[in-house]
Amino acid sequence: MSSQLIYNIGMLVTPEGNEARRGADQGRLKVLENAWIYLENGSIVACGDRNQPMTFGEKYDAGGRLVTPGLVDAHTHLIFGGWRQNELAMKIRNVPYLDILAAGGGILSTVKATHAATEEELANKAGRALDEMLSFGTTTCEAKSGYGLNKKEELKQLKVIKALNKNHPMDVVPTFMGAHALPPEFKENREGYLKLLCEEMIPAVAKQKLAKFCDVFCETGVFTAEESRRILQAGLDNGLIPKIHADEIDPIGGSQLAGEIGAISAEHLIVCPDAGIESMAQGGTIACLLPATSFYLNSTYAPARKMIEAGVPVAMASDFNPGSCPCLNLQLVMNLGCLKYRLTPEEVLTAVTLNGAAAIGMADRVGSIEAGKQGDLVIWDAPDLNYLCYRLGSNLVHAVVKKGNFYRGN
Ligand code: IZC
Ligand code: ZN
């Protein structure tokens, strides 16, 4: 048995519990000064402050620094070939995201590049992205398929996720997103692709246990709310939990559907109407907000405060993808949560730890520093949480601890 004691923690800050925190609870954290954490075999056994001294285990001096739970990135499109730097010039000329897609670019250009890559190439590339995420303090992430758009290629992406989860220290939680765009060969046959998704792809993914969630891009020119309902219902019928990209560009009913169908999370919600917030509150859906995408698309920001006031738990994630947000850094997402959503640092920390974990069904294992959870922590070059949320553009990681193993940041 291995035992470790991380001591001389200037400030330990964590949300508490095994489920998403909502309303005023989102901003309620446990704070211990002069604290320690005791780990056995990579799991947290106890933590305390100077009033409860602890002396055994292999010792690690945190040097008076801030310690939080490892960050959880609950929304990424991790597996893809190529990049889309050619779209930057169009963005600068204000060509809309959906126009690039409608012209056969955007997602569809990444689909071509992903088809052209082998499993090994995709795994190597995504593995480097995971290394970078870990260096920024992320210890658990979600990863979507969605650049295959046919059975063989979607399964290829999901197999890469499975291999990464096995071979990389990061916990990687898989989501099937075959409903990311209509493939060009089905342009005149939407029904044909919906049938393929619901009757062949989803059952195959479920049978091979390659995904835990089923996601759909509910958006103008992509999938309607009714089509999204059909796809998510087929997922449910096969044991896949629904997620939905909703209200990113146009409010076409995605957030209302999320609450109605009992989606675990709804993503983006940049232009979420009040009726959508109400429906998510009723249905117990977590709002997974992606502020770096708003920044990158030069759009507005999701009504995060309204959601918290309505009792909808707010998570925040990177949305890492080659088009609308080529960003792996959750520290930047935390800055934007404070400065653009006007959330407090306490609400922001919950959003990128426990609520992110809950959005991917991992809140019983990660997302807080408590006895029984995995030893996933970040030791920050910061004295307190305010400092972490206030500095901009640096990597403040001193060390990342994943299941008790130490990885250095800068
Ligand atoms: O590749 O553009 N929004 N899907 C929905 C994306 C962005 C990813 C992409
Ligand atoms: Zn996305």
Side-chain angles (χ1 to χ4, degrees):
M1 186 188 76
S2 75
S3 55
Q4 295 161 302
L5 180 73
I6 303 171
Y7 72 102
N8 194 19
I9 296 170
M11 193 175 276
L12 184 161
V13 185
T14 181
E16 290 179 286
N18 286 353
E19 50 190 56
R21 311 279 292 186
R22 67 192 73 217
D25 276 350
Q26 171 136 13
R28 291 201 179 105
L29 301 177
K30 173 166 158 177
V31 179
L32 294 178
E33 289 182 31
N34 299 300
W36 51 264
I37 303 168
Y38 177 65
L39 307 173
E40 274 179 10
N41 297 330
S43 293
I44 301 168
V45 171
C47 57
D49 60 20
R50 72 179 138 216
N51 299 319
Q52 306 124 352
M54 172 68 83
T55 51
F56 41 93
E58 184 192 329
K59 288 192 174 171
Y60 183 92
D61 183 353
R65 294 181 175 86
L66 170 72
V67 173
T68 70
L71 306 182
V72 178
D73 193 342
H75 183 136
T76 85
H77 302 256
L78 181 70
I79 316 295
F80 56 84
W83 291 92
R84 306 225 291 267
Q85 65 271 45
N86 60 310
E87 290 178 11
L88 179 61
M90 289 185 261
K91 278 194 206 323
I92 292 168
R93 282 186 276 113
N94 295 319
V95 179
Y97 175 87
L98 289 177
D99 289 9
I100 299 174
L101 176 60
I107 294 172
L108 295 176
S109 70
T110 300
V111 168
K112 279 195 194 127
T114 307
H115 284 190
T118 64
E119 274 181 45
E120 194 185 353
E121 285 165 347
L122 292 174
N124 286 338
K125 179 177 180 167
R128 287 194 296 276
L130 290 177
D131 291 344
E132 194 179 331
M133 288 164 79
L134 198 66
S135 79
F136 283 126
T138 299
T139 50
T140 298
C141 74
E142 183 252 21
K144 301 174 197 298
S145 67
Y147 297 116
L149 308 187
N150 66 45
K151 188 165 142 191
K152 173 170 154 271
E153 292 290 331
E154 285 291 317
L155 291 176
K156 177 174 99 178
Q157 277 195 275
L158 292 170
K159 283 179 195 153
V160 171
I161 297 172
K162 186 174 176 180
L164 288 167
N165 189 41
K166 203 164 144 217
N167 300 327
H168 195 280
M170 186 85 68
D171 282 308
V172 188
V173 179
T175 296
F176 170 67
M177 200 177 176
H180 195 191
L182 189 70
E185 60 273 25
F186 284 92
K187 208 168 176 185
E188 307 305 327
N189 180 15
R190 297 184 73 78
E191 183 57 28
Y193 192 56
L194 289 168
K195 275 213 166 94
L196 184 64
L197 276 169
C198 297
E199 294 170 19
E200 289 190 41
M201 291 161 81
I202 288 172
V205 167
K207 188 157 173 241
Q208 296 184 43
K209 296 196 173 16
L210 285 170
K212 183 165 172 178
F213 304 102
C214 179
D215 198 343
V216 49
F217 192 9
C218 180
E219 187 58 71
T220 301
V222 192
F223 294 100
T224 66
E226 271 322 299
E227 289 166 345
S228 301
R229 184 190 294 276
R230 199 170 139 191
I231 295 159
L232 295 179
Q233 188 59 50
L236 272 172
D237 294 344
N238 285 275
L240 300 180
I241 301 164
K243 281 180 173 282
I244 180 166
H245 281 59
D247 306 333
E248 178 180 359
I249 297 159
D250 293 322
I252 62 164
S255 45
Q256 288 96 318
L257 170 60
E260 283 165 26
I261 203 161
I264 190 165
S265 66
E267 329 288 307
H268 286 291
L269 304 168
I270 294 174
V271 291
C272 184
D274 290 350
I277 298 179
E278 180 59 29
S279 174
M280 288 191 294
Q282 294 273 326
T285 300
I286 297 169
C288 186
L289 306 184
L290 312 168
T293 306
S294 284
F295 175 75
Y296 211 80
L297 292 178
N298 202 21
S299 60
T300 55
Y301 286 81
R305 174 61 57 206
K306 261 192 181 178
M307 291 168 178
I308 290 182
E309 282 170 359
V312 175
V314 169
M316 297 192 320
S318 70
D319 192 22
F320 174 62
N321 76 75
S324 60
C325 197
C327 170
L328 293 159
N329 183 351
L330 275 184
Q331 293 172 56
L332 178 66
V333 170
M334 294 172 77
N335 295 130
L336 293 171
C338 291
L339 298 171
K340 295 297 185 180
Y341 294 152
R342 301 276 159 186
L343 300 188
T344 65
E346 290 78 13
E347 289 166 334
V348 160
L349 185 70
T350 300
V352 293
T353 56
L354 187 59
N355 283 7
I360 54 173
M362 292 284 282
D364 57 334
R365 284 157 62 186
V366 303
S368 65
I369 302 174
E370 291 178 276
K373 290 216 179 176
Q374 277 179 198
D376 293 5
L377 317 164
V378 185
I379 302 169
W380 299 99
D381 270 323
D384 56 39
L385 185 59
N386 281 339
Y387 185 89
L388 177 58
C389 291
Y390 135 91
R391 287 289 307 277
L392 184 72
S394 297
N395 183 1
L396 295 180
V397 167
H398 174 71
V400 176
V401 184
K402 178 65 187 173
K403 294 183 183 155
N405 295 312
F406 280 72
Y407 300 89
R408 288 207 60 79
N410 282 332

